[in-house]
Amino acid sequence: MGGETDGSAQSRWTVWGLEASMVVTDAGVLAAAEDIVRSVLAEIDQACSRFRADSELMRLQPVLAQGASVSPTLLTLVNHALDAARWTDGDVDPTLGADLTALGYDRDIVSVKLSPDSLTGGGALNLDRGEASLPSRTGSGWARVTVDGDVLTVPADLRLDLGATAKAHAADRAAAMVHSVLGCGVLVSLGGDIATAGTAPLPGAWQVLVQDLPSDPLQRISLEPGFAVATSSTQKRRWKHGGKDVHHILDPRFGLPAEDVWRSVTVAARSCLEANAFSTAGVVRGLAAPGWFRSMRVSARLVDREGRVVTTGGWPKENYVREEAVTHG
């Protein structure tokens, strides 16, 4: 969206194996705004990436069971992840890092997909959800993580994965910083997680295209300034494990990929962190998600296996459009 007619400008690049994009309402600050966004992403990656040995989280992993002082950035990321767990009654659990590694998701998604079959040294996991095959789990992992001041304690049998909420927080923080420093309106999109700050281009709202894969139904929505939208998908981050297709959104009860009831779940909220938490939880809840969303007044759009759309919480009616002149969601 945007262009010469309204003074806005857009840039795109790749980060964390995902497409990042940004729109600012003042083309003259585009380069400076992109520098701010890239700096925010670099700081968050350095704090919590599971895929780099020098990140703060990975360096501290051996001592977290005894408790360790962490940086303000990592502390914020952990607290946000625990907030998401509380909001969703544990459907979004940040302690599934070991489960993702066991499924072969131990490096960035581009590298995982390039592997012919991602297997760990122990071989393929049993992906059958039958009672006899379920792995043994000790309660809710997230409830066993403690934060006391700047001291983080994680039991030795757990590994943090802050990826989903960290990405959403990154979008929120980057948008807020661009607006604060440069004074322009801004939209930041990180692989389907969108945050906005400041004023929007004319006609006064951000025009966002909601679509996961090109074959999925698409819809343009008007996103009011300061609001956010996030899409969680079972289709994009997929790879082979033990000859079977798996995806990255895990059901914490089993430590296995959530059932593919929904191809994608999109949620609009006041922050990208909140939108991402509920969109992820919607995938995990499966068939129960629409009723739960309605009871929570969550504004959501869910697309099932057959491409059928279910909406909740005042999500706008479908207005299918061509893909031109809109921002991807």
Side-chain angles (χ1 to χ4, degrees):
M1 64 167 292
E4 295 179 358
T5 56
D6 61 12
S8 64
Q10 181 174 16
S11 63
R12 296 178 183 271
W13 65 96
T14 300
V15 63
W16 305 332
L18 305 167
E19 181 182 273
S21 64
M22 178 191 61
V23 183
V24 291
T25 55
D26 179 356
V29 302
L30 180 64
E34 183 174 328
D35 286 344
I36 291 172
V37 175
R38 287 180 179 270
S39 177
V40 169
L41 302 186
E43 180 183 355
I44 289 174
D45 191 57
Q46 180 65 55
C48 74
S49 175
R50 287 195 303 119
F51 308 138
R52 49 187 296 180
D54 67 338
S55 74
E56 182 181 2
L57 178 62
M58 297 307 289
R59 287 188 290 103
L60 291 178
Q61 181 60 58
V63 298
L64 287 178
Q66 291 76 46
S69 295
V70 300
S71 69
T73 298
L74 182 54
L75 186 65
T76 295
L77 293 169
V78 170
N79 280 328
H80 281 334
L82 296 177
D83 285 342
R86 283 188 284 269
W87 297 338
T88 63
D89 297 326
D91 284 345
V92 180
D93 191 325
T95 64
L96 302 177
D99 301 281
L100 287 166
T101 296
L103 286 167
Y105 194 7
D106 55 358
R107 52 205 185 279
D108 70 79
I109 192 62
V110 174
S111 300
V112 171
K113 286 183 175 181
L114 289 175
S115 174
D117 197 342
S118 300
L119 292 179
T120 61
L125 295 177
N126 187 342
L127 299 179
D128 183 0
R129 288 178 179 78
E131 184 176 349
S133 68
L134 295 182
S136 175
R137 306 189 68 79
T138 306
S140 299
W142 69 272
R144 299 166 57 208
V145 175
T146 62
V147 176
D148 183 6
D150 69 347
V151 175
L152 170 65
T153 304
V154 182
D157 61 313
L158 300 178
R159 296 292 182 271
L160 291 180
D161 171 57
L162 305 178
T165 52
K167 178 162 63 76
H169 168 69
D172 283 330
R173 183 174 175 188
M177 285 193 67
V178 169
H179 175 58
S180 175
V181 173
L182 302 176
C184 61
V186 59
L187 178 150
V188 174
S189 174
L190 302 175
D193 284 3
I194 293 176
T196 68
T199 58
L202 294 176
W206 296 99
Q207 303 303 301
V208 176
L209 177 70
V210 179
Q211 183 182 42
D212 188 31
L213 298 180
S215 58
D216 290 340
L218 57 88
Q219 181 186 13
R220 184 180 60 200
I221 63 171
S222 295
L223 189 65
E224 293 298 316
F227 279 77
V229 64
T231 296
S232 294
S233 167
T234 60
Q235 304 304 304
K236 286 184 175 179
R237 295 193 189 187
R238 298 187 75 92
W239 65 95
K240 291 285 188 181
H241 175 83
K244 295 184 178 181
D245 283 328
V246 295
H247 63 80
H248 74 297
I249 301 178
L250 304 190
D251 187 330
R253 296 174 300 170
F254 313 136
L256 297 174
E259 187 176 357
D260 291 11
V261 172
W262 308 110
R263 295 174 60 85
S264 64
V265 177
T266 303
V267 171
R270 283 282 184 179
S271 72
C272 196
L273 178 68
E274 181 181 348
N276 177 278
F278 282 101
S279 65
T280 303
V283 172
V284 173
R285 292 239 173 174
L287 291 173
W292 180 53
F293 282 170
R294 292 185 181 107
S295 71
M296 298 284 287
R297 298 184 178 180
V298 172
S299 182
R301 178 182 188 264
L302 306 91
V303 181
D304 73 6
R305 296 171 181 169
E306 307 303 320
R308 294 170 296 199
V309 176
V310 176
T311 62
T312 68
W315 187 274
K317 293 182 179 180
E318 298 293 335
N319 57 335
Y320 295 106
V321 296
R322 291 177 298 174
E323 194 172 341
E324 60 191 31
V326 292
T327 301
H328 287 269

